[in-house]
Amino acid sequence: MMRFGVIRFHGSNCDRDCYHVVDRVLQQPVYWIEQNQKDLAGVDVVLIPGGFSYGDYLRAGAIAARTPVMDAVREFAERGGLVLGICNGFQILCEAGLLPGALMVNASLRFACHFAHVRVEAVDTPFTWALSPGAVLRIPIAHHQGNFQPDVTPFQGRVLFRYCDAEGHIVPAANPNGSWEAVAGIANGRGNVVGMMPHPERCSEAVLGATDGVGIFRSLLCWWEEVGGYDV
Amino acid sequence: MRVNVYIRLKGGVLDPEGETIKNSLQGLHFSEVQSVRAGKVFQLELSEEDPARARQRSEEMCRQLLANPVIEDYQIEIMEPPS
């Protein structure tokens, strides 16, 4: 049994989708975490959902990154706790300094809302544990600021997912936002904090027409069972 | 005291918004426009009379919130208090 927490900020709008996947698809315990909460005791993994927290004012994720709950997330991550930020959650983690880099406006200046293919680049993290190296996942994206740029070179984080074509080739036409190295998702060096622009919670059930996202959530459960957790 | 804070993308960072504005200006026959960089301005009213202190506090605000140091630079302009 793995206990999940889903953070809700003013303006989050994928929070219920995340909660639903954990509750109904993974059938694991799941709790709401509020933006002013200062304690994450009792959860093993924190999900930071997509949306437009605080209206995306100033910069996407900038205000949410400076709320009390993010101090708690920072401590949780330092102790080895698992954190997954999806879309706006990825932007928040970068703004909070928990992931290296920044998400800029898409190079096209357009909101990108369609299915994208991503290639799995590393399987030695809890979030990709049950996936195959080089596997191609079809996951929807919906963002205006997903153009990832690293803070320094060489890049200090780890690349987990890259935009590719249906065959897994990294080609410019498959990069929807101009991201450096076609990055769709990254981890910190330690591998316990992950951010990704694609929305796995939107494609985790057959009734939704796509199920490639569930492998990321199931990876967490497999890792939890095989490795036996971490010292929090 | 009033403080103007200007936020700009760093030199090497691509600015698709500025690029689009440049193209639009050129489309309006402002052919002399070589480049455009977009940015933001914040006008702050501080309950602080000392310019040096106002600058120091404003810089702290830029570091903590107003600018993202990965991609943005900031410039602070202290406006003289009205005499």
Side-chain angles (χ1 to χ4, degrees), chain A residues 21-74:
Chain A
V21 168
V22 177
D23 186 34
R24 301 296 176 86
V25 181
L26 302 182
Q27 302 192 336
Q28 298 294 307
V30 55
Y31 308 95
W32 291 119
I33 298 173
E34 305 300 336
Q35 56 204 351
N36 291 321
Q37 203 165 314
K38 291 178 179 150
D39 185 6
L40 296 178
V43 300
D44 304 308
V45 53
V46 169
L47 303 181
I48 308 182
F52 298 86
S53 56
Y54 303 94
D56 272 357
Y57 291 166
L58 189 59
R59 299 175 302 275
I63 307 293
R66 289 154 180 90
T67 53
V69 74
M70 289 307 295
D71 288 333
V73 170
R74 192 173 288 109

Coordinates of all heavy atoms in Angstrom, one line a residue, chain A residues 21-74:
Chain A
V21 N -7.4 8.8 -10.5 CA -6.5 7.7 -10.9 C -5.9 6.9 -9.8 O -5.9 5.6 -9.8 CB -5.3 8.2 -11.8 CG1 -4.3 7.2 -12.0 CG2 -5.9 8.7 -13.1
V22 N -5.5 7.6 -8.7 CA -5.0 6.9 -7.5 C -6.1 6.1 -6.9 O -5.9 4.9 -6.5 CB -4.3 7.9 -6.6 CG1 -3.8 7.1 -5.3 CG2 -3.2 8.6 -7.2
D23 N -7.2 6.7 -6.7 CA -8.3 6.1 -5.9 C -9.0 4.9 -6.7 O -9.1 3.8 -6.1 CB -9.4 7.2 -5.7 CG -10.5 6.7 -4.8 OD1 -10.2 5.9 -3.9 OD2 -11.6 7.2 -4.9
R24 N -9.3 5.1 -7.9 CA -10.1 4.1 -8.7 C -9.3 3.2 -9.5 O -9.7 2.1 -9.7 CB -11.1 4.9 -9.6 CG -12.1 5.7 -8.8 CD -13.0 4.9 -7.8 NE -13.8 5.7 -7.0 CZ -15.0 6.1 -7.5 NH1 -15.5 5.8 -8.6 NH2 -15.8 6.9 -6.7
V25 N -8.2 3.7 -10.1 CA -7.4 2.9 -11.0 C -6.3 2.1 -10.2 O -6.2 0.9 -10.3 CB -6.8 3.7 -12.2 CG1 -6.0 2.8 -13.1 CG2 -7.8 4.5 -12.9
L26 N -5.5 2.9 -9.5 CA -4.5 2.2 -8.7 C -5.1 1.6 -7.4 O -4.5 0.7 -6.8 CB -3.4 3.2 -8.2 CG -2.7 4.0 -9.4 CD1 -1.6 4.9 -8.7 CD2 -2.0 3.0 -10.3
Q27 N -6.2 2.1 -6.9 CA -6.9 1.7 -5.7 C -5.9 1.7 -4.5 O -5.7 0.8 -3.8 CB -7.4 0.3 -5.9 CG -8.4 0.3 -7.1 CD -9.3 -1.0 -7.2 OE1 -8.9 -2.0 -6.7 NE2 -10.4 -0.8 -7.8
Q28 N -5.3 2.9 -4.4 CA -4.4 3.2 -3.3 C -5.0 4.3 -2.4 O -5.8 5.1 -3.0 CB -3.0 3.6 -3.8 CG -2.3 2.5 -4.6 CD -1.9 1.3 -3.8 OE1 -1.3 1.4 -2.7 NE2 -2.4 0.1 -4.2
P29 N -4.6 4.4 -1.2 CA -5.1 5.5 -0.4 C -4.6 6.9 -0.9 O -3.5 7.0 -1.3 CB -4.6 5.3 1.0 CG -3.6 4.2 0.9 CD -3.8 3.5 -0.4
V30 N -5.5 7.9 -0.9 CA -5.2 9.2 -1.5 C -5.8 10.3 -0.6 O -6.9 10.1 -0.2 CB -5.5 9.3 -3.0 CG1 -7.0 9.0 -3.2 CG2 -5.1 10.6 -3.5
Y31 N -5.0 11.3 -0.4 CA -5.5 12.4 0.5 C -5.3 13.8 -0.2 O -4.3 13.9 -1.0 CB -4.6 12.5 1.8 CG -4.6 11.1 2.5 CD1 -3.6 10.2 2.2 CD2 -5.7 10.7 3.3 CE1 -3.6 9.0 2.9 CE2 -5.6 9.5 3.9 CZ -4.6 8.6 3.7 OH -4.6 7.4 4.3
W32 N -6.1 14.7 0.1 CA -5.9 16.1 -0.4 C -4.9 16.8 0.4 O -4.9 16.6 1.7 CB -7.2 16.9 -0.4 CG -8.3 16.5 -1.4 CD1 -9.5 16.0 -1.1 CD2 -8.2 16.5 -2.8 NE1 -10.2 15.7 -2.2 CE2 -9.4 16.0 -3.3 CE3 -7.2 16.8 -3.7 CZ2 -9.7 15.9 -4.7 CZ3 -7.4 16.7 -5.0 CH2 -8.7 16.2 -5.5
I33 N -4.1 17.6 -0.2 CA -3.1 18.4 0.6 C -3.4 19.8 0.1 O -3.5 20.2 -1.0 CB -1.7 18.0 0.2 CG1 -1.4 16.6 0.6 CG2 -0.7 19.0 0.9 CD1 -0.1 16.1 0.2
E34 N -3.6 20.7 1.1 CA -4.0 22.1 0.8 C -2.8 23.0 0.8 O -1.7 22.7 1.3 CB -5.0 22.6 1.9 CG -6.2 21.7 2.1 CD -7.1 21.6 0.8 OE1 -7.0 22.4 -0.1 OE2 -7.8 20.5 0.7
Q35 N -3.0 24.1 0.1 CA -1.8 25.0 -0.2 C -1.2 25.6 1.0 O 0.0 26.0 0.9 CB -2.2 26.1 -1.2 CG -3.4 26.9 -0.7 CD -4.2 27.5 -1.8 OE1 -3.7 27.5 -3.0 NE2 -5.3 28.2 -1.5
N36 N -1.9 25.6 2.1 CA -1.2 26.2 3.3 C -0.8 25.2 4.3 O -0.3 25.5 5.4 CB -2.2 27.2 4.0 CG -2.4 28.4 3.1 OD1 -1.5 28.9 2.5 ND2 -3.6 28.9 3.0
Q37 N -0.9 23.9 3.9 CA -0.5 22.8 4.8 C 1.0 22.8 5.0 O 1.7 23.0 4.1 CB -1.0 21.5 4.2 CG -1.2 20.4 5.2 CD -2.0 19.2 4.5 OE1 -3.0 19.5 3.9 NE2 -1.5 18.0 4.7
K38 N 1.4 22.6 6.3 CA 2.9 22.6 6.5 C 3.4 21.3 6.9 O 4.6 21.2 7.2 CB 3.1 23.6 7.7 CG 2.8 25.1 7.3 CD 3.0 26.0 8.4 CE 2.8 27.4 7.9 NZ 2.3 28.3 9.0
D39 N 2.6 20.2 6.8 CA 3.0 18.9 7.2 C 2.6 17.9 6.2 O 1.4 17.9 5.9 CB 2.4 18.7 8.6 CG 2.9 17.3 9.2 OD1 3.8 16.7 8.6 OD2 2.4 17.0 10.3
L40 N 3.5 17.0 5.8 CA 3.1 16.0 4.8 C 3.2 14.6 5.4 O 3.3 13.6 4.7 CB 4.0 16.1 3.6 CG 3.9 17.4 2.8 CD1 4.9 17.3 1.6 CD2 2.5 17.6 2.2
A41 N 3.1 14.6 6.7 CA 3.2 13.3 7.4 C 2.1 12.4 6.9 O 0.9 12.9 6.7 CB 3.1 13.5 8.9
G42 N 2.4 11.1 6.7 CA 1.3 10.2 6.3 C 1.2 10.0 4.8 O 0.3 9.2 4.4
V43 N 2.0 10.6 4.0 CA 2.0 10.3 2.6 C 3.4 9.8 2.1 O 4.4 10.2 2.7 CB 1.5 11.5 1.7 CG1 0.1 11.9 2.1 CG2 2.4 12.6 1.8
D44 N 3.4 9.0 1.1 CA 4.6 8.4 0.6 C 5.0 9.1 -0.7 O 6.2 9.1 -1.1 CB 4.4 6.9 0.4 CG 4.0 6.2 1.6 OD1 4.7 6.4 2.7 OD2 3.0 5.5 1.6
V45 N 4.0 9.6 -1.4 CA 4.3 10.3 -2.7 C 3.3 11.5 -2.8 O 2.2 11.4 -2.5 CB 4.2 9.3 -3.9 CG1 2.9 8.6 -3.9 CG2 4.4 10.0 -5.2
V46 N 3.9 12.6 -3.3 CA 3.1 13.8 -3.5 C 2.9 14.1 -5.0 O 3.9 14.0 -5.8 CB 3.8 15.0 -2.9 CG1 3.1 16.3 -3.3 CG2 3.8 14.9 -1.3
L47 N 1.7 14.3 -5.4 CA 1.4 14.7 -6.8 C 1.0 16.2 -6.9 O 0.2 16.6 -6.1 CB 0.2 13.9 -7.4 CG 0.3 12.3 -7.3 CD1 -1.0 11.7 -7.9 CD2 1.5 11.9 -8.1
I48 N 1.7 16.9 -7.7 CA 1.4 18.3 -8.0 C 0.7 18.4 -9.3 O 1.4 18.2 -10.4 CB 2.6 19.2 -7.9 CG1 3.4 18.9 -6.6 CG2 2.3 20.6 -8.0 CD1 4.7 19.7 -6.4
P49 N -0.6 18.6 -9.3 CA -1.4 18.5 -10.6 C -1.2 19.7 -11.5 O -0.7 20.8 -11.1 CB -2.8 18.4 -10.0 CG -2.8 19.2 -8.8 CD -1.4 19.0 -8.2
G50 N -1.8 19.5 -12.7 CA -1.8 20.6 -13.7 C -2.8 21.6 -13.4 O -3.6 21.5 -12.5
G51 N -2.8 22.7 -14.2 CA -3.8 23.7 -14.1 C -3.2 25.1 -14.3 O -2.2 25.2 -15.0
F52 N -3.8 26.1 -13.7 CA -3.2 27.5 -13.8 C -3.2 28.1 -12.4 O -4.0 29.0 -12.1 CB -4.2 28.3 -14.7 CG -4.2 27.7 -16.1 CD1 -5.1 26.7 -16.5 CD2 -3.3 28.2 -17.1 CE1 -5.1 26.2 -17.7 CE2 -3.4 27.6 -18.4 CZ -4.3 26.6 -18.7
S53 N -2.3 27.5 -11.6 CA -2.3 28.0 -10.2 C -2.1 29.5 -10.1 O -1.2 30.0 -10.8 CB -1.2 27.2 -9.4 OG 0.1 27.4 -10.0
Y54 N -2.9 30.1 -9.3 CA -2.9 31.6 -9.1 C -2.9 32.3 -10.4 O -2.3 33.3 -10.6 CB -1.7 32.0 -8.3 CG -1.7 31.3 -6.9 CD1 -1.0 30.1 -6.8 CD2 -2.4 31.8 -5.9 CE1 -1.0 29.4 -5.6 CE2 -2.5 31.1 -4.7 CZ -1.8 29.9 -4.5 OH -1.8 29.2 -3.3
G55 N -3.7 31.7 -11.4 CA -3.9 32.4 -12.7 C -2.6 32.5 -13.5 O -2.6 33.2 -14.5
D56 N -1.6 31.7 -13.2 CA -0.3 31.8 -13.9 C 0.2 33.2 -13.8 O 1.0 33.7 -14.7 CB -0.4 31.3 -15.3 CG -0.1 29.9 -15.5 OD1 0.2 29.2 -14.5 OD2 -0.2 29.4 -16.6
Y57 N -0.2 34.0 -12.8 CA 0.3 35.4 -12.7 C 1.8 35.4 -12.4 O 2.3 34.5 -11.9 CB -0.4 36.1 -11.5 CG -1.9 36.4 -11.8 CD1 -2.7 36.8 -10.8 CD2 -2.4 36.3 -13.1 CE1 -4.1 37.1 -11.0 CE2 -3.7 36.6 -13.3 CZ -4.6 36.9 -12.3 OH -5.9 37.2 -12.5
L58 N 2.4 36.4 -12.9 CA 3.9 36.6 -12.8 C 4.6 35.7 -13.7 O 5.1 36.2 -14.8 CB 4.4 36.5 -11.4 CG 5.9 36.9 -11.1 CD1 6.1 38.4 -11.5 CD2 6.3 36.7 -9.7
R59 N 4.7 34.4 -13.4 CA 5.2 33.4 -14.3 C 4.5 32.1 -13.9 O 4.1 32.0 -12.8 CB 6.7 33.2 -14.1 CG 7.6 34.3 -14.4 CD 9.1 34.0 -14.1 NE 9.3 33.6 -12.7 CZ 9.5 34.5 -11.7 NH1 9.5 35.8 -11.9 NH2 9.6 34.0 -10.5
A60 N 4.3 31.2 -14.9 CA 3.6 30.0 -14.6 C 4.3 29.3 -13.4 O 5.5 29.0 -13.4 CB 3.6 29.0 -15.8
G61 N 3.5 29.0 -12.3 CA 4.0 28.3 -11.2 C 4.7 29.1 -10.1 O 5.1 28.7 -9.1
A62 N 5.0 30.4 -10.4 CA 5.8 31.3 -9.6 C 5.2 31.5 -8.2 O 5.9 31.4 -7.2 CB 6.1 32.6 -10.2
I63 N 3.9 31.7 -8.2 CA 3.2 32.0 -6.9 C 3.1 30.8 -6.1 O 3.4 30.7 -4.9 CB 1.9 32.7 -7.1 CG1 2.0 33.9 -8.1 CG2 1.2 33.1 -5.8 CD1 2.8 35.1 -7.5
A64 N 2.6 29.7 -6.7 CA 2.5 28.4 -6.0 C 3.8 27.9 -5.4 O 3.8 27.4 -4.3 CB 1.9 27.4 -7.0
A65 N 4.9 28.2 -6.1 CA 6.2 27.7 -5.6 C 6.6 28.3 -4.3 O 7.4 27.8 -3.6 CB 7.2 28.0 -6.7
R66 N 5.9 29.4 -4.0 CA 6.3 30.2 -2.8 C 5.2 30.1 -1.7 O 5.1 31.0 -0.8 CB 6.6 31.6 -3.1 CG 7.9 31.7 -3.9 CD 8.1 32.9 -4.9 NE 9.4 32.8 -5.5 CZ 9.6 32.2 -6.7 NH1 8.6 31.6 -7.3 NH2 10.8 32.3 -7.3
T67 N 4.4 29.1 -1.7 CA 3.4 28.9 -0.7 C 3.9 28.0 0.4 O 4.9 27.2 0.2 CB 2.1 28.2 -1.3 OG1 2.5 27.0 -2.0 CG2 1.4 29.1 -2.3
P68 N 3.3 28.0 1.6 CA 3.8 27.2 2.7 C 3.9 25.7 2.4 O 4.9 25.0 2.8 CB 2.8 27.4 3.8 CG 2.2 28.7 3.5 CD 2.2 28.9 2.0
V69 N 3.0 25.1 1.6 CA 3.0 23.7 1.3 C 4.3 23.3 0.6 O 4.8 22.2 0.7 CB 1.7 23.2 0.6 CG1 1.7 23.6 -0.8 CG2 1.6 21.7 0.7
M70 N 4.8 24.2 -0.2 CA 6.0 23.9 -1.0 C 7.2 23.9 -0.1 O 8.2 23.2 -0.5 CB 6.2 24.9 -2.2 CG 5.2 24.7 -3.3 SD 5.0 23.0 -3.9 CE 6.7 22.8 -4.6
D71 N 7.2 24.6 1.0 CA 8.3 24.4 2.0 C 8.3 23.0 2.5 O 9.3 22.3 2.7 CB 8.2 25.4 3.1 CG 8.6 26.8 2.6 OD1 9.4 26.9 1.7 OD2 8.1 27.8 3.2
A72 N 7.1 22.5 2.8 CA 6.9 21.1 3.3 C 7.3 20.1 2.2 O 8.0 19.1 2.5 CB 5.4 20.9 3.7
V73 N 7.0 20.4 0.9 CA 7.4 19.5 -0.1 C 8.9 19.5 -0.2 O 9.5 18.4 -0.5 CB 6.8 20.0 -1.5 CG1 7.4 19.2 -2.7 CG2 5.3 19.7 -1.4
R74 N 9.6 20.6 -0.1 CA 11.0 20.7 -0.1 C 11.7 19.8 1.0 O 12.6 19.0 0.7 CB 11.5 22.2 0.0 CG 12.9 22.4 -0.3 CD 13.3 23.9 -0.3 NE 12.7 24.6 -1.5 CZ 11.7 25.4 -1.4 NH1 11.2 25.7 -0.3 NH2 11.3 26.0 -2.5

